[in-house]
Amino acid sequence: MPDTRIMPAEWSQDVASVLMAYPHENTDWAYMIDEARSCFNEIIKCIVEQAGLTVVIATPDSQATRKLIPDLPKNKVFFVDVPTDDTWARDFGPITIEENGYKKFIDFQFNGWGLKFASANDNLINLRAKESGAYSLTLENQRSFTLEGGSIESDGLGTILTTSECLLSPNRNGGKTREEIEESLKHILGAKRILWLNHGYLAGDDTDSHIDTLARFANENTILYVKSYIERDQHNEELEEMECELRNFRTADGQPYNLIGLPLPDPIYDENGERLPATYANFLITPKTILLPVYNQALNDQLAIQMMKIAFPDHEIIGIDCNALIRQHGSLHCVTMQMHAGATAIC
């Protein structure tokens, strides 16, 4: 691929829309469908009203879904009628790259986080959306490679941050070596260098340690990451090892990163006593706002908000209660995928 190919950073100012997939009765949300839809509706409202972006919603039935979103803003929500298995748009949605000054979508293989969950419909959402005319950008077929959007972070300058636990999973790309994975990321995304985290995890996470649950770029030289301030928490050793790795990373020009340690939320458990993977690292960056998942933990929520204000001084920080989302082991970033101006038929 030409050297001009690059994966834009999430904070790119020409983001115009966000892809989501709405919960329906045939998803794993069925047993708590009203709670899930209430959370999705709040996210949609914030994307439209606070962030000023358009929402593109994948749904099997747009007419029925339209009735479930109260006060639907006219001309700001666009529906794509496609079958869906679930709602994790970050992982099956198209990944944007820029080449020779033009944006295009990359369509990777999505196999349910290493064959853990049904994914036949979600794996085809991008292709079907393109065929329906919903996507305006070229859709480049890279479906011989399995990759989820939540597994990679880009600084917009050629650096990709990821985890070895996820990208080296044998159920994703057949046991390819680290070197082979790096070559694919360089070839497809225009990456110039890969920063690998070999430590860090969240109990209850089904993704094999997606980077967007653990560490995120705030800008080219700042990384926000999950840090346990809890005495004797099960995550402490791994998160401390991850922090050491982050301290040893350098920017492309050889400088250490500015590191901001987001608090690990106090433990939250499901009805079976399983710990859920709550994290403040799963935020969405838009040109005007940061949509931050919060968990009704006054001290931790406020601390996370204050840290986000330090990292993003020009953005409004908006907390959205995501206790419903973590019941299915994901959070706010996981259900959204940003798309740039001209990416869809309406924006």
Side-chain angles (χ1 to χ4, degrees):
M1 298 294 177
D3 291 339
T4 55
R5 173 171 285 213
I6 204 77
M7 179 181 172
E10 188 167 314
W11 57 83
S12 173
Q13 290 300 301
D14 69 343
V15 170
S17 60
V18 175
L19 175 68
M20 299 181 71
Y22 205 75
H24 56 80
E25 290 82 356
N26 294 321
T27 64
D28 289 339
W29 297 108
Y31 76 103
M32 53 173 294
I33 193 72
D34 291 338
E35 292 174 74
R37 286 171 173 167
S38 177
C39 184
F40 271 71
N41 289 349
E42 182 63 23
I43 295 171
I44 291 167
K45 179 181 177 182
C46 287
I47 291 171
V48 171
E49 295 182 356
Q50 273 76 31
L53 305 181
T54 299
V55 181
V56 179
I57 298 178
T59 174
D61 188 343
S62 61
Q63 291 199 13
T65 301
R66 187 182 299 271
K67 298 175 183 178
L68 296 170
I69 308 175
D71 304 319
L72 191 68
K74 291 183 179 179
N75 303 320
K76 294 298 286 186
V77 179
F78 179 67
F79 293 92
V80 183
D81 287 276
V82 291
T84 62
D85 299 301
D86 216 325
T87 55
W88 308 108
R90 177 63 46 180
D91 294 337
F92 56 70
I95 293 177
T96 303
I97 61 99
E98 183 172 331
E99 186 173 41
N100 298 322
Y102 295 94
K103 301 286 196 313
K104 66 167 61 173
F105 282 153
I106 306 296
D107 187 23
F108 289 100
Q109 174 85 357
F110 174 67
N111 72 349
W113 307 279
L115 306 175
K116 295 183 184 73
F117 300 97
S119 59
N121 286 317
D122 289 346
N123 185 40
L124 294 176
I125 285 176
N126 294 325
L127 180 60
R128 287 168 170 165
K130 178 63 177 177
E131 290 175 344
S132 75
Y135 290 172
S136 299
L137 295 182
T138 297
L139 185 67
E140 181 176 297
N141 183 345
Q142 291 290 347
R143 295 166 62 82
S144 62
F145 189 73
T146 300
L147 187 76
E148 300 111 39
S151 71
I152 52 173
E153 274 282 299
S154 172
D155 70 349
L157 299 174
T159 299
I160 297 293
L161 178 64
T162 190
T163 67
S164 55
E165 180 72 17
C166 180
L167 262 63
L168 301 184
S169 163
N171 286 337
R172 284 176 168 83
N173 285 297
K176 285 186 177 181
T177 66
R178 184 180 301 240
E179 292 73 22
E180 290 170 328
I181 296 293
E182 285 198 0
E183 283 305 309
S184 292
L185 296 178
K186 291 175 180 178
H187 177 71
I188 301 170
L189 300 178
K192 297 178 175 62
R193 63 191 196 117
I194 318 297
L195 299 178
W196 293 89
L197 284 174
N198 301 308
H199 294 277
Y201 85 104
L202 295 180
D205 173 33
D206 294 323
T207 68
D208 303 307
S209 297
H210 268 187
I211 194 66
D212 72 348
T213 69
L214 296 170
R216 305 283 307 283
F217 283 119
N219 54 48
E220 295 89 346
N221 55 24
T222 302
I223 297 176
L224 292 136
Y225 69 101
V226 176
K227 180 179 177 66
S228 175
Y229 299 96
I230 305 170
E231 187 177 358
R232 292 188 295 275
D233 187 88
Q234 70 186 87
H235 298 93
N236 286 359
E237 182 177 351
E238 274 291 306
L239 291 179
E240 287 171 3
E241 293 278 1
M242 183 183 79
E243 184 179 51
C244 288
E245 291 182 293
L246 290 167
R247 291 191 184 282
N248 287 324
F249 286 160
R250 294 293 180 266
T251 63
D253 58 3
Q255 300 302 308
Y257 283 96
N258 302 318
L259 300 179
I260 300 176
L262 294 168
L264 177 70
D266 294 336
I268 304 173
Y269 300 93
D270 67 12
E271 59 275 9
N272 298 315
E274 180 182 355
R275 188 162 175 175
L276 298 170
T279 172
Y280 295 108
N282 209 244
F283 55 86
L284 176 68
I285 306 172
T286 81
K288 297 179 180 180
T289 65
I290 304 296
L291 303 189
L292 177 71
V294 294
Y295 303 101
N296 289 326
Q297 299 182 10
L299 291 177
N300 286 327
D301 291 350
Q302 190 57 37
L303 180 57
I305 289 170
Q306 292 303 317
M307 289 180 169
M308 297 300 290
K309 288 180 179 178
I310 294 171
F312 297 96
D314 298 327
H315 286 67
E316 180 182 4
I317 313 301
I318 300 171
I320 299 178
D321 184 347
C322 287
N323 277 289
L325 294 187
I326 62 167
R327 295 278 296 280
Q328 282 297 316
H329 306 263
S331 201
L332 196 153
H333 195 248
C334 300
V335 298
T336 57
M337 173 58 85
Q338 75 280 354
M339 299 192 291
H340 297 256
T344 71
I346 58 168
C347 59

